[in-house]
Structure formats: structure tokens, C-alpha cells
């Protein structure tokens, strides 16, 4: 970054005191907390494979692709010129380029290709980087990745569909799966009358020989151009899970009709649809009547991704704000030299470091499942829930604060901050909004006491290192001892406190003392504030800011 901003003369004035337009950046090399977390949580090959992605995601070319994919959202084409149904979504070429970057890099499949050997850490770190290119297109990447555990419920389905999922190929053509080189997966669960209460679903399935026919609607269908959808429908045995392909076994378009695309607050590069199943052909996955238990394998994977995406967006917003304040002058000094601005930026940086530490620790727990480690398995049940809840609660305020660092220019569409602000709520709502997530946390703690034990082990590893954390842990023990009827109204507090305490424990064990101590005092201590930029007296601002990078 140059010391002097570019100058330009217009008819009435010379343009000065404006930061450079960012050029090519390296999102991996410049992210010290990411590299440290990977060195700690993942085998060496993960960082080596991610390094080229960091350069590509940070390039001016890919950043422009993200901008174009948002400025030219998907368009629905229901019919061809002759009146035949198409039910196709047409995307801008920029969207396809971003999908190619992700899928040809194998980031949708790496968790399964390298399962138990760092694959989940690689997937999560890649998603963190890809989100900084453009969050919306990451939805089908996540869905495709997350479908694999459900496919494994049926050996025949796995044999038919897994090779296409695991192919490092992006093939957007509307063709039967057998004619394509690579496949993507979507999900369709929620309906108008129930939302997250999927047991109220009315879509029903009727047996048709070895397969089934689905009839009903879905209020949200993620990634409607996927090659197959995992979906829920009622049978005589109860709610069941099905795989509904876009094309039937005889190569005909399946009777999955798109009614409209959602006009969303953000997430504009990604298509979300309302659909109707009109006697659509499908295959049962898992046991009849066990639909929720079957598809939860996918949901658990998507929740970890939904916990990671806001951290990636926060990192991007932090980088934009930091780049701006280091070049912009006000009141005779650069903004980055002013103590109050330093406190805001440092506080934002602390949030990113803490979020990154928690998501990569959760990813390691997922890879631990393949090795059969009881502690890691227990953590994998609960860490995505905590991280998804808390990271998404912190996101919208983070984006607003980053906008303020830029002032008026941050509020206009030429910078990515307006796009990030619109995007910020989606991962909190997707796969269970805040209350649903907190109720799920209570269910996990009630049904899986081993998860409580695993959480305690993680927290106790940092006990005695910092007094604010010690006091927070004592309070958590009191809350966890409450009867269920008293704990439910406090479920949000419990989720917040567990997430923050886990972040603090990880930072105390692994991050520089300046970062860890400040995080504990500003999140758990008597000076804790919901507003960014309120840090305790004596905070070592320079040491924290030095870790942000360019």
C-alpha cells in the first residue's frame, strides 16, 4: 500500500485525501491469525494447499467477480420460447467463474477426500477465504459438501451420487446426472406453515415401486439449479428424508417446478426459490419416519459453515476499514494514528481472531470423528451450534462499525461494506434462527452429557490463566445446574457465555498474551460492552493492530 493517495483534478477541485483503490491482495499471506490457527489445528498440507487460494481470492479480478455477481442477480426462466417448462435459473458469468474457483479447487469435497487427515480444517479455512470473494455463491458449495454424510446412509445412493460430488469439476449444464462430470446438491426442508418446525410439513410421499413420488411445496429451496435435493416429506411412517434429482432415471426433467425466486435483503448472487413437487420422482434415504435424524447429518455440517461465513465477512470488513484509516486523514492526523480509532479497529480485530480460533477448533473436532475419539465426537455435537449462534449475533454490528470507520463512502455500493451489511443476517437465519439454535443447544446438553464433559475439559484447560474467565466459568457452572424450566429462558445467555468462554480459553492457550488478556477483559470482565471500540484502560493497541496485516 502506497503512502500517498492518488491525486486527480476535476473541473472544480483536486481529489485528495482519498485512499488507494485496492489492487491484488493475498488473503492468506496477510492473515497472521489464520496461518497461526492452521499451524496449530491442521496438518502442514492444508496451509500449502490454501496459499494459492488466498492469492486468487484476494486478486482484483476475483473481487470484481464478486461485485458483478451481486450487481447482476440470478434470473428465473420458467419456459422456453415454445412454451415448454424449463424451471431454470440463469446466472451472470461472474457467478460461474466463482463456482469454478471453488469446485475446481476441490473445496466442496476436500473434507471427504482427506477425512480424518485435516480435510475439515481445509474446507473451513477455504470457506473463510472464499467468503471474502463473495459470500452468496458459497451456499451451493456448502450444500454440496454437507450432502455427503446423508448419502452414506444408503450404499446404493452413495455409489450412484458420491463420485459426482467428489469430482473437482464445475459442470453447470442442465443434464441428467449420469451425463455430467461434476454434481452439486441442494436442500429443501422448510414450508410456509412450519418454518423451522419441520415436523409440521405437509409435503407427502407415495410409494411408486422401488421409488417414491413427492407432492407439496417448499418455502425455501437452496441452490435450485443443483443436480439433486435432499428434502423432507411425510409417509405413513412419519417424516422421512428423500433425494429428489433434477432429472429422473429415464432422463426426463423431474416434476420440480420453481414458483419464484426470493427477493432477498442480501445474498443476492445466490438464488433461493419457492418450489412445488408435482408428483416428483424421489428415492428414500435413511429409515422411513426418521427424516429429521437423517438430514441432521447434513444440517450439522452446514451449521459449521454458517458459523464460519460471518467470520470471513468480518475479516473482509476489517481489512477494508484498516486499509482506509491508514490512508485517510482527519483533524491533522491519519485516522489510524488516533487512539479512539485504534480502539475500534483493535476491537474488531479481536472479534475476528476469536471467531477464527473457534471455527477451526470445531473443524478439528469434525475430523476427530473419523478417528473415533470420544472427546472430539462430543465436541462436534455442540461447537457448531455455539459458534453459529454467537458469530452471527456479532456480525451485523461489526459490519455497521466497519462502515462508520469509512464514513459516508462505506455506506455506498462502490465499497463491499454495504453488500456485507446486507449479507450479515442470513447465516443467523439459515439452518435455524437464534432461538432454534439455543433450544438445540439445550437438547444436546440434556441428551449428550458427554458433550458437557467435553466442553468442561476444553474450558478447564485454561482455568487459572485469567481471572475474568475463571469468574465466567464459575457462573456457567451455576447456570448448568439450573433445572430445565429455569434454564430455557436463559438459553441465549448460556449460548453466548459458552461461546465467549471457549473463545477466551482458546486465545489464552494459543494467542499472544496481549490479544488473549484484552479479549477476556473486554468480553468477560466488568468493563465488557456490547459496543465495539470499548476496550479496557491500558489495552496494548499497537500489539493487536500489528497482527491485522495489509
Amino acid at each position: 500500500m502506497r503512502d500517498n493517495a492518488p491525486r486527480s483534478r476535476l473541473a472544480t477541485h483536486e481529489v485528495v485525501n482519498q485512499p488507494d483503490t485496492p489492487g491484488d491482495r493475498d488473503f492468506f499471506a496477510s492473515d497472521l491469525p489464520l496461518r497461526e490457527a492452521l499451524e496449530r489445528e491442521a496438518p502442514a498440507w492444508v496451509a500449502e494447499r490454501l496459499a494459492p487460494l488466498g492469492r486468487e481470492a484476494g486478486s482484483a479480478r476475483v473481487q470484481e467477480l464478486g461485485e458483478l455477481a451481486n450487481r447482476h442477480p440470478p434470473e428465473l426462466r420458467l419456459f422456453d420460447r415454445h412454451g415448454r417448462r424449463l424451471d431454470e435459473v440463469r446466472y451472470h458469468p461472474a457467478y460461474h467463474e466463482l463456482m469454478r474457483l471453488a469446485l475446481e479447487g476441490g473445496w466442496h469435497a476436500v473434507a471427504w477426500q482427506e477425512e480424518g487427515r485435516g480435510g475439515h480444517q481445509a474446507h473451513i479455512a477455504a470457506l473463510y477465504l472464499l467468503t471474502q470473494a463473495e459470500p452468496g455463491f458459497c451456499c451451493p458449495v456448502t450444500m454440496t459438501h454437507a450432502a455427503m454424510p446423508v448419502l452414506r446412509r444408503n450404499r446404493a445412493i452413495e455409489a450412484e451420487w458420491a463420485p459426482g460430488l467428489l469430482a473437482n469439476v464445475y459442470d453447470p449444464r442442465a443434464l441428467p446426472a449420469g451425463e455430467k462430470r461434476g454434481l452439486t446438491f441442494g436442500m429443501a426442508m422448510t414450508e410456509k406453515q412450519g418454518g423451522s418446525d419441520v415436523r409440521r410439513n405437509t409435503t407427502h410421499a407415495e410409494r411408486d415401486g422401488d421409488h417414491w413420488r413427492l407432492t407439496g411445496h417448499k418455502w425455501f429451496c437452496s441452490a435450485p439449479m443443483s443436480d439433486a435435493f435432499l428434502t423432507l416429506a411425510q409417509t405413513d411412517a412419519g417424516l422421512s428424508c428423500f433425494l429428489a434429482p433434477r432429472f429422473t432415471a429415464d432422463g426426463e426433467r423431474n416434476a420440480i417446478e420453481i414458483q419464484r425466486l426470493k427477493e432477498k435483503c442480501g445474498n443476492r448472487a445466490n438464488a433461493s426459490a419457492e418450489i412445488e413437487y408435482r408428483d416428483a420422482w424421489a428415492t428414500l434415504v435413511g429409515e422411513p419416519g426418521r427424516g429429521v435424524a437423517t438430514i441432521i447429518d447434513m444440517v450439522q455440517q452446514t451449521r459449521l459453515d454458517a458459523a464460519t461465513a460471518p467470520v470471513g465477512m468480518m475479516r473482509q470488513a476489517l481489512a477494508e476499514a484498516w486499509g482506509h484509516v491508514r490512508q485517510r486523514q482527519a483533524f491533522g492526523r491519519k485516522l489510524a494514528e488516533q487512539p479512539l480509532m485504534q480502539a475500534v479497529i483493535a476491537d474488531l480485530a479481536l472479534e475476528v481472531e476469536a471467531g477464527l480460533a473457534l471455527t477451526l477448533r470445531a473443524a478439528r473436532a469434525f475430523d476427530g470423528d473419523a478417528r473415533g475419539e470420544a472427546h472430539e465426537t462430543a465436541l462436534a455435537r455442540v461447537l457448531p451450534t455455539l459458534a453459529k449462534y454467537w458469530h452471527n449475533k456479532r456480525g451485523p454490528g461489526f459490519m455497521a462499525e466497519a462502515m462508520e470507520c469509512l464514513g459516508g463512502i462505506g455506506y455506498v455500493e462502490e465499497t463491499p461494506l454495504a453488500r456485507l451489511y446486507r449479507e450479515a443476517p442470513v447465516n443467523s437465519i439459515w439452518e435455524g434462527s437464534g432461538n432454534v439454535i439455543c433450544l438445540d443447544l439445550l437438547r444436546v446438553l440434556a441428551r449428550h452429557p458427554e458433550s458437557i464433559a467435553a466442553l468442561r475439559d476444553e474450558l478447564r484447560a485454561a482455568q487459572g490463566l485469567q481471572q475474568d474467565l475463571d469468574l465466567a466459568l464459575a457462573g456457567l457452572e451455576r447456570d448448568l445446574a439450573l433445572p430445565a424450566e429455569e434454564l430455557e429462558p436463559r438459553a441465549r445467555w448460556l449460548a453466548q457465555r459458552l461461546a465467549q468462554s471457549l473463545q477466551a480459553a482458546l486465545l489464552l492457550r494459543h494467542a499472544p498474551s496481549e490479544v488473549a488478556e484484552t479479549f477476556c477483559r473486554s468480553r468477560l470482565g466488568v468493563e465488557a460492552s456490547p459496543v465495539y471500540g470499548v476496550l479496557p484502560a491500558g489495552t496494548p493497541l499497537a500489539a493487536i493492530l500489528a497482527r491485522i496485516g495489509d
Side-chain angles (χ1 to χ4, degrees), residues 226-304:
S226 300
D227 297 290
F229 306 92
L230 291 166
T231 191
L232 297 176
Q234 300 285 357
T235 66
D236 291 342
L239 195 64
S240 304
C241 181
F242 295 88
L243 186 151
R246 281 186 70 200
F247 288 83
T248 64
D250 58 8
E252 297 295 321
R253 290 180 183 271
N254 206 359
I256 305 173
E257 297 185 357
I258 300 177
Q259 303 304 304
R260 64 169 177 162
L261 298 184
K262 299 288 192 182
E263 193 169 346
K264 297 170 291 185
C265 167
N267 200 242
R268 294 180 179 178
N270 179 45
S272 301
E274 297 173 32
I275 64 170
E276 296 277 345
Y277 293 128
R278 292 180 174 266
D279 205 32
W281 190 87
T283 303
L284 179 69
V285 186
E287 299 177 30
R290 298 276 295 166
V292 173
T294 300
I295 209 165
I296 200 68
D297 290 342
M298 183 178 193
V299 171
Q300 194 71 342
Q301 297 286 336
T302 59
R303 281 184 176 172
L304 181 54

Side-chain angles (χ1 to χ4, degrees), residues 124-205:
I124 287 303
L127 185 78
Y128 168 83
L129 293 171
L130 289 167
T131 296
Q132 296 175 57
E134 154 45 38
F137 87 97
C138 293
C139 173
V141 178
T142 286
M143 291 292 188
T144 303
H145 151 79
M148 189 64 186
V150 181
L151 301 185
R152 289 173 171 175
R153 294 274 186 150
N154 184 306
R155 289 186 179 180
I157 290 175
E158 181 182 4
E160 180 180 359
W161 291 93
L165 183 155
L166 296 174
N168 293 355
V169 175
Y170 175 55
D171 188 346
R173 297 176 297 168
L175 292 173
E179 300 177 27
K180 297 185 65 172
R181 297 175 296 128
L183 304 175
T184 59
F185 284 77
M187 177 194 286
M189 287 200 296
T190 59
E191 298 181 6
K192 296 182 180 77
Q193 69 283 351
S196 295
D197 187 3
V198 295
R199 295 188 186 279
R200 296 187 63 191
N201 284 7
T202 61
T203 296
H204 64 275

